[in-house]
Short mmCIF file of all heavy atoms in Angstrom, two decimals:
data_model
loop_
_atom_site.label_atom_id
_atom_site.label_comp_id
_atom_site.label_asym_id
_atom_site.label_seq_id
_atom_site.Cartn_x
_atom_site.Cartn_y
_atom_site.Cartn_z
N GLY D 81 1.09 2.55 -2.18
CA GLY D 81 1.58 3.58 -1.28
C GLY D 81 2.46 2.99 -0.20
O GLY D 81 2.39 1.79 0.09
N ILE D 82 3.28 3.85 0.39
CA ILE D 82 4.07 3.48 1.56
C ILE D 82 3.90 4.59 2.58
O ILE D 82 3.96 5.78 2.26
CB ILE D 82 5.55 3.23 1.21
CG1 ILE D 82 6.33 2.80 2.45
CG2 ILE D 82 6.18 4.41 0.52
CD1 ILE D 82 7.71 2.25 2.16
N PHE D 83 3.61 4.17 3.82
CA PHE D 83 3.38 5.11 4.91
C PHE D 83 4.39 4.83 6.01
O PHE D 83 4.46 3.71 6.52
CB PHE D 83 1.95 4.96 5.45
CG PHE D 83 1.64 5.93 6.56
CD1 PHE D 83 1.31 7.23 6.27
CD2 PHE D 83 1.70 5.53 7.89
CE1 PHE D 83 1.02 8.14 7.29
CE2 PHE D 83 1.42 6.42 8.91
CZ PHE D 83 1.09 7.73 8.61
N HIS D 84 5.16 5.83 6.38
CA HIS D 84 6.16 5.71 7.43
C HIS D 84 5.54 6.12 8.76
O HIS D 84 5.04 7.24 8.89
CB HIS D 84 7.37 6.58 7.12
CG HIS D 84 8.46 6.51 8.12
ND1 HIS D 84 9.35 7.52 8.33
CD2 HIS D 84 8.81 5.53 8.99
CE1 HIS D 84 10.20 7.19 9.28
NE2 HIS D 84 9.89 5.98 9.70
N GLU D 85 5.54 5.21 9.71
CA GLU D 85 5.03 5.53 11.05
C GLU D 85 5.90 6.63 11.67
O GLU D 85 7.10 6.67 11.45
CB GLU D 85 5.05 4.29 11.94
CG GLU D 85 4.16 3.17 11.46
CD GLU D 85 2.68 3.46 11.60
OE1 GLU D 85 2.30 4.41 12.30
OE2 GLU D 85 1.89 2.71 11.01
N SER D 86 5.30 7.51 12.46
CA SER D 86 6.05 8.65 12.98
C SER D 86 6.22 8.66 14.49
O SER D 86 7.04 9.41 15.01
CB SER D 86 5.39 9.95 12.54
OG SER D 86 4.07 10.02 13.04
N GLY D 87 5.46 7.84 15.21
CA GLY D 87 5.57 7.84 16.67
C GLY D 87 6.93 7.33 17.12
O GLY D 87 7.57 6.53 16.43
N PRO D 88 7.41 7.78 18.28
CA PRO D 88 8.75 7.40 18.72
C PRO D 88 8.95 5.90 18.89
O PRO D 88 10.06 5.41 18.73
CB PRO D 88 8.92 8.14 20.06
CG PRO D 88 7.55 8.55 20.48
CD PRO D 88 6.71 8.64 19.24
N LYS D 89 7.90 5.16 19.20
CA LYS D 89 8.03 3.72 19.38
C LYS D 89 7.69 2.94 18.11
O LYS D 89 7.80 1.71 18.10
CB LYS D 89 7.12 3.24 20.52
CG LYS D 89 7.54 3.80 21.87
CD LYS D 89 6.62 3.29 22.96
CE LYS D 89 7.03 3.84 24.31
NZ LYS D 89 6.14 3.34 25.37
N GLU D 90 7.28 3.64 17.06
CA GLU D 90 6.86 2.97 15.83
C GLU D 90 7.61 3.43 14.59
O GLU D 90 7.40 2.88 13.52
CB GLU D 90 5.36 3.19 15.60
CG GLU D 90 4.49 2.59 16.67
CD GLU D 90 3.02 2.92 16.45
OE1 GLU D 90 2.72 4.06 16.02
OE2 GLU D 90 2.20 2.03 16.69
N ARG D 91 8.49 4.40 14.71
CA ARG D 91 9.11 4.95 13.51
C ARG D 91 10.09 3.99 12.82
O ARG D 91 10.61 4.31 11.77
CB ARG D 91 9.75 6.30 13.78
CG ARG D 91 10.93 6.28 14.71
CD ARG D 91 11.44 7.67 14.95
NE ARG D 91 10.59 8.25 15.97
CZ ARG D 91 10.79 9.39 16.58
NH1 ARG D 91 11.80 10.13 16.27
NH2 ARG D 91 9.97 9.83 17.50
N HIS D 92 10.30 2.83 13.43
CA HIS D 92 11.12 1.80 12.77
C HIS D 92 10.28 0.98 11.77
O HIS D 92 10.79 0.10 11.11
CB HIS D 92 11.73 0.85 13.82
CG HIS D 92 10.71 0.02 14.54
ND1 HIS D 92 9.85 0.56 15.49
CD2 HIS D 92 10.38 -1.28 14.44
CE1 HIS D 92 9.06 -0.39 15.95
NE2 HIS D 92 9.35 -1.52 15.32
N ARG D 93 9.00 1.33 11.64
CA ARG D 93 8.07 0.58 10.79
C ARG D 93 7.54 1.46 9.66
O ARG D 93 7.32 2.65 9.83
CB ARG D 93 6.88 0.09 11.62
CG ARG D 93 7.27 -0.80 12.75
CD ARG D 93 6.17 -1.02 13.77
NE ARG D 93 4.89 -1.35 13.15
CZ ARG D 93 3.73 -1.14 13.75
NH1 ARG D 93 3.67 -0.60 14.96
NH2 ARG D 93 2.61 -1.45 13.13
N ALA D 94 7.30 0.82 8.53
CA ALA D 94 6.58 1.46 7.42
C ALA D 94 5.60 0.43 6.89
O ALA D 94 5.79 -0.78 7.07
CB ALA D 94 7.55 1.91 6.33
N GLY D 95 4.55 0.92 6.26
CA GLY D 95 3.51 0.03 5.77
C GLY D 95 3.21 0.24 4.30
O GLY D 95 3.26 1.36 3.80
N ILE D 96 2.90 -0.85 3.64
CA ILE D 96 2.45 -0.83 2.25
C ILE D 96 0.93 -0.73 2.27
O ILE D 96 0.27 -1.42 3.05
CB ILE D 96 2.86 -2.13 1.52
CG1 ILE D 96 4.38 -2.29 1.47
CG2 ILE D 96 2.24 -2.20 0.12
CD1 ILE D 96 5.09 -1.35 0.55
N TRP D 97 0.36 0.09 1.40
CA TRP D 97 -1.09 0.23 1.33
C TRP D 97 -1.51 0.49 -0.12
O TRP D 97 -0.71 0.91 -0.95
CB TRP D 97 -1.59 1.35 2.24
CG TRP D 97 -1.12 2.72 1.85
CD1 TRP D 97 0.05 3.32 2.22
CD2 TRP D 97 -1.80 3.65 1.00
NE1 TRP D 97 0.15 4.57 1.64
CE2 TRP D 97 -0.98 4.79 0.88
CE3 TRP D 97 -3.01 3.62 0.31
CZ2 TRP D 97 -1.33 5.90 0.12
CZ3 TRP D 97 -3.36 4.73 -0.45
CH2 TRP D 97 -2.53 5.85 -0.53
N GLY D 98 -2.78 0.23 -0.38
CA GLY D 98 -3.39 0.62 -1.65
C GLY D 98 -2.81 -0.02 -2.90
O GLY D 98 -2.82 0.61 -3.96
N VAL D 99 -2.34 -1.24 -2.81
CA VAL D 99 -1.78 -1.90 -3.99
C VAL D 99 -2.92 -2.27 -4.94
O VAL D 99 -3.88 -2.92 -4.54
CB VAL D 99 -0.99 -3.17 -3.61
CG1 VAL D 99 -0.42 -3.84 -4.85
CG2 VAL D 99 0.11 -2.84 -2.61
N TYR D 100 -2.78 -1.84 -6.18
CA TYR D 100 -3.80 -2.18 -7.19
C TYR D 100 -3.17 -2.11 -8.57
O TYR D 100 -2.42 -1.19 -8.88
CB TYR D 100 -4.98 -1.22 -7.13
CG TYR D 100 -6.05 -1.53 -8.15
CD1 TYR D 100 -6.88 -2.64 -8.01
CD2 TYR D 100 -6.23 -0.72 -9.28
CE1 TYR D 100 -7.86 -2.93 -8.95
CE2 TYR D 100 -7.21 -0.99 -10.21
CZ TYR D 100 -8.02 -2.11 -10.05
OH TYR D 100 -8.99 -2.40 -10.98
N VAL D 101 -3.52 -3.10 -9.39
CA VAL D 101 -3.13 -3.11 -10.80
C VAL D 101 -4.41 -3.28 -11.61
O VAL D 101 -5.18 -4.22 -11.38
CB VAL D 101 -2.13 -4.24 -11.11
CG1 VAL D 101 -1.80 -4.28 -12.60
CG2 VAL D 101 -0.84 -4.06 -10.30
N ASP D 102 -4.63 -2.37 -12.55
CA ASP D 102 -5.79 -2.43 -13.42
C ASP D 102 -5.77 -3.75 -14.19
O ASP D 102 -4.70 -4.21 -14.61
CB ASP D 102 -5.73 -1.25 -14.40
CG ASP D 102 -7.02 -1.05 -15.15
OD1 ASP D 102 -7.39 -1.95 -15.94
OD2 ASP D 102 -7.67 0.00 -14.97
N PRO D 103 -6.93 -4.37 -14.37
CA PRO D 103 -6.97 -5.65 -15.10
C PRO D 103 -6.29 -5.60 -16.47
O PRO D 103 -5.71 -6.61 -16.89
CB PRO D 103 -8.48 -5.93 -15.26
CG PRO D 103 -9.10 -5.23 -14.09
CD PRO D 103 -8.27 -4.00 -13.87
N ILE D 104 -6.28 -4.46 -17.15
CA ILE D 104 -5.64 -4.39 -18.47
C ILE D 104 -4.12 -4.54 -18.40
O ILE D 104 -3.48 -4.81 -19.40
CB ILE D 104 -6.00 -3.08 -19.22
CG1 ILE D 104 -5.46 -1.86 -18.47
CG2 ILE D 104 -7.48 -2.97 -19.46
CD1 ILE D 104 -5.53 -0.56 -19.26
N ALA D 105 -3.55 -4.37 -17.19
CA ALA D 105 -2.10 -4.45 -17.04
C ALA D 105 -1.64 -5.67 -16.23
O ALA D 105 -0.45 -5.83 -15.98
CB ALA D 105 -1.58 -3.17 -16.40
N ARG D 106 -2.58 -6.49 -15.81
CA ARG D 106 -2.21 -7.66 -15.00
C ARG D 106 -1.45 -8.67 -15.84
O ARG D 106 -1.61 -8.74 -17.06
CB ARG D 106 -3.45 -8.27 -14.36
CG ARG D 106 -4.01 -7.34 -13.30
CD ARG D 106 -5.18 -7.92 -12.55
NE ARG D 106 -5.74 -6.87 -11.70
CZ ARG D 106 -6.96 -6.90 -11.23
NH1 ARG D 106 -7.77 -7.91 -11.49
NH2 ARG D 106 -7.39 -5.90 -10.48
N GLY D 107 -0.63 -9.46 -15.17
CA GLY D 107 0.14 -10.49 -15.85
C GLY D 107 1.42 -9.97 -16.49
O GLY D 107 2.11 -10.70 -17.18
#
Side-chain angles (χ1 to χ4, degrees):
I82 182 168
F83 181 80
H84 181 206
E85 297 289 347
S86 61
K89 295 181 180 180
E90 296 176 322
R91 67 182 81 172
H92 67 287
R93 300 166 47 204
I96 298 288
W97 64 274
V99 180
Y100 180 72
V101 177
D102 192 295
I104 64 169
R106 291 184 188 159

